[in-house]
Amino acid sequence: MTGTLPTPLPVVLVAGLHADAREATVARLLDAVPGSVALHHDLSDAVADGSVRRTVRDRTGVLDEGRAPLVNDCACCALREDLVPELRRLAAGGTCRMAVVELWDSVEPQAMAEVVAAHAGDDLRIGGVVTAVDPALVLPYLACGDDLAEAGLAAAAGDQRTVADAWARQVEYAPVLALVPGAPGASAPPEARAHPEDPGAHPEQPCAHPDGRTPRPAGPRAAAGPDGLPHPDADPPTEAPGNDLAAEAPGLGLLDAQGPADPADFELLAQLHPTARRLPVGSPELVAAALAGFDVEAAAARQHPACALLPQEADAEGVTTVVWHRVRPFHPGRLYAALEDLTCAAARSRGRFWLADRPDTLLSWEAAGGALCVESAGPWLAALPDAAWELVPPTRRVAAALDWHPEHGDRAQHLTFTSPGLDSEGLLALLESCLLTDAEYAAGPDAWRALPHAFDGLLDPVS
């Protein structure tokens, strides 16, 4: 490879609970760009050892090993503290052409992308974010309601996420999905083998009631948490400084699959994240996409429930996405009573909604693996004084304008449900039954506020 070394050093984050697929993706990137290295922090034995094991390798093998001490007894905090100094050390060496950060199993890419972006400058820039996927494992992992701690995959003490919760956000945040069908040794969690016509449950893990596994944290996490907020960066890859690396990378053949993939697996992935570039791991396009640049602020805005780019209506290969949009508020009691059925109706559901007794609060909805998180995402814009609008990001104001109602402003129900074997008619009927009736609606906002506050236990838990 000839030419000057890129400055700043491009950093590509590769995430994914599918460890074999992730490792294959990292290996392909290292092969494609001579002079690149991979940095990996292994959190698996951090608690027992009191430190996180760090390795730096190139395509020939391990170049360096070390350990980073836990920070406040937190492995993920150690990763945060150690990541940027190690990247800067690689940049200062002057020989590294690309740094691939292979994130440990359950670490979500958003927070790590934001850590790197916060320190970007003359020596570092984010090249891109990639999540590695074995398509055949998308549904099994999405249906797995086990706690990460039970599976030995918790990234920090007190990590309350489920396998499905972490996996869904790994897929939905990254603008590039590297497809690795039949990665060697890949297998689904044994408890996660859901029947395709009952995607929200499996024999060992019944669908969770809101008083059980819900809510799960779905907004900004505590400082010890491994991840950030839950939609994907929808911008197509564009040219960015240093992209000569992608142009110089040799062409690679497709990775030999260990078995044929079901078209429904690819369709499910497409409907979950329709704006992502889904590229075979061996495709030369993968390298270009991984180095196209990444805007963390835009990605974070697209994750916020007020302006998230949610999936669109779709029905193909036995996989369906239903988009439900209404202006009338939910009756809090009837919606609460229906939460279990709504949570179990689909492999994945997301969106925003409002309750009649909480008209000023924008509520987020995230469900996967039979676990639901309902959480306050701040006020609706219609509840803010005009002067406060200047403090709101432009993306949020544009999203509100598109949904604006002359009476309710940006308040709206906007929920999406994606799953194989989805009972669309039954789901829609259940959602409609949870809205205020004509008589209840006609009674007006003062009467709405007096309705039973069924969600107080979820939204205002007693500490």
Side-chain angles (χ1 to χ4, degrees), residues 1 63 66 78 85 110 125 134 151 161 184 186 190 218 243 253 269 287 314 318 332 346 363 378 404 407 413 422:
M1 197 176 232
L63 302 175
Q110 178 165 356
R125 72 173 177 88
D134 181 338
R161 295 171 300 153
N243 277 0
L269 195 60
V287 182
L363 296 168
W404 201 260
E407 182 179 357
Q413 322 293 3
L422 187 66

Side-chain angles (χ1 to χ4, degrees), residues 14-19 22 103-110 129-133 141 148 153 161 163-177 227 229-230 232 269 273 303 348:
V14 179
L17 272 167
H18 300 170
R22 189 185 69 236
L103 298 177
W104 187 71
D105 295 3
S106 66
V107 176
E108 295 176 28
Q110 178 165 356
V129 177
V130 179
T131 292
V133 179
Y141 274 70
L148 288 170
L153 295 171
R161 295 171 300 153
V163 171
D165 185 40
W167 171 239
R169 280 193 297 276
Q170 286 179 340
V171 169
E172 292 162 353
Y173 181 77
V176 180
L177 303 178
D227 46 351
L229 186 75
L269 195 60
H273 193 346
Q303 295 294 92
R348 177 65 166 155

Side-chain angles (χ1 to χ4, degrees), residues 215 358 453-462:
R358 292 173 177 257
H453 304 304
F455 280 76
D456 284 2
L458 291 181
L459 298 171
D460 307 307
V462 178

Side-chain angles (χ1 to χ4, degrees), residues 341-392:
D341 290 337
L342 291 172
T343 301
C344 297
R348 177 65 166 155
S349 54
R350 302 179 60 203
R352 56 187 177 268
F353 68 102
W354 68 301
L355 297 171
D357 65 322
R358 292 173 177 257
D360 294 338
T361 305
L362 189 161
L363 296 168
S364 68
W365 173 291
E366 280 207 62
L372 168 69
C373 176
V374 169
E375 189 172 58
S376 170
W380 296 98
L381 288 192
L384 295 175
D386 292 346
W389 281 46
E390 294 302 318
L391 304 176
V392 176

Side-chain angles (χ1 to χ4, degrees), residues 57-436:
R57 70 185 190 277
D58 64 9
R59 58 182 173 176
T60 66
V62 175
L63 302 175
D64 184 43
E65 291 185 281
R67 301 201 76 98
L70 297 187
V71 177
N72 300 322
D73 294 323
C74 172
C76 197
C77 296
L79 166 58
R80 290 172 184 263
E81 292 291 326
D82 195 61
L83 179 61
V84 172
E86 281 299 305
L87 289 173
R88 283 190 163 148
R89 183 179 66 82
L90 292 171
T95 59
C96 180
R97 297 190 63 83
M98 176 177 69
V100 180
V101 176
E102 181 189 349
L103 298 177
W104 187 71
D105 295 3
S106 66
V107 176
E108 295 176 28
Q110 178 165 356
M112 296 303 113
E114 291 173 352
V115 166
V116 176
H119 296 86
D122 293 339
D123 56 349
L124 299 174
R125 72 173 177 88
I126 294 187
V129 177
V130 179
T131 292
V133 179
D134 181 338
L137 300 184
V138 174
L139 180 58
Y141 274 70
L142 202 58
C144 185
D146 289 351
D147 289 330
L148 288 170
E150 296 171 358
L153 295 171
D159 189 344
Q160 298 183 22
R161 295 171 300 153
T162 65
V163 171
D165 185 40
W167 171 239
R169 280 193 297 276
Q170 286 179 340
V171 169
E172 292 162 353
Y173 181 77
V176 180
L177 303 178
L179 306 184
V180 190
S187 62
E191 298 85 359
R193 301 179 190 279
H195 190 281
E197 293 185 0
D198 188 13
H202 51 76
E204 302 299 323
Q205 178 57 60
C207 190
H209 187 272
D211 290 332
R213 287 190 172 271
T214 54
R216 296 286 172 195
R221 276 131 176 112
D227 46 351
L229 186 75
H231 195 288
D233 185 359
D235 290 340
T238 56
E239 288 299 315
N243 277 0
D244 58 308
L245 293 180
E248 296 175 19
L252 297 170
L254 299 181
L255 185 72
D256 291 335
Q258 300 301 304
D262 190 321
D265 298 326
F266 292 96
E267 181 61 30
L268 176 58
L269 195 60
Q271 291 188 29
L272 286 172
H273 193 346
T275 60
R277 295 197 70 187
R278 298 175 295 278
L279 299 170
V281 70
S283 168
E285 294 179 85
L286 178 64
V287 182
L291 288 164
F294 186 76
D295 186 334
V296 295
E297 291 185 3
R302 292 181 177 98
Q303 295 294 92
H304 194 285
C307 45
L309 295 178
L310 298 172
Q312 301 297 307
E313 292 271 357
D315 188 3
E317 302 292 348
V319 181
T320 302
T321 293
V322 165
V323 178
W324 188 72
H325 191 283
R326 296 290 185 273
V327 172
R328 185 173 296 198
F330 276 124
H331 184 286
R334 288 198 295 274
L335 178 61
Y336 187 86
L339 285 183
E340 183 174 0
D341 290 337
L342 291 172
T343 301
C344 297
R348 177 65 166 155
S349 54
R350 302 179 60 203
R352 56 187 177 268
F353 68 102
W354 68 301
L355 297 171
D357 65 322
R358 292 173 177 257
D360 294 338
T361 305
L362 189 161
L363 296 168
S364 68
W365 173 291
E366 280 207 62
L372 168 69
C373 176
V374 169
E375 189 172 58
S376 170
W380 296 98
L381 288 192
L384 295 175
D386 292 346
W389 281 46
E390 294 302 318
L391 304 176
V392 176
T395 334
R396 173 81 187 274
R397 296 199 297 268
V398 170
L402 293 174
D403 252 352
W404 201 260
H405 183 274
E407 182 179 357
H408 302 305
D410 57 330
R411 300 178 182 92
Q413 322 293 3
H414 190 172
L415 299 174
T416 66
F417 298 79
T418 299
S419 189
L422 187 66
D423 177 9
S424 301
E425 291 186 6
L427 171 62
L428 293 173
L430 181 58
L431 288 166
E432 296 289 341
S433 73
C434 296
L435 294 173
L436 295 184

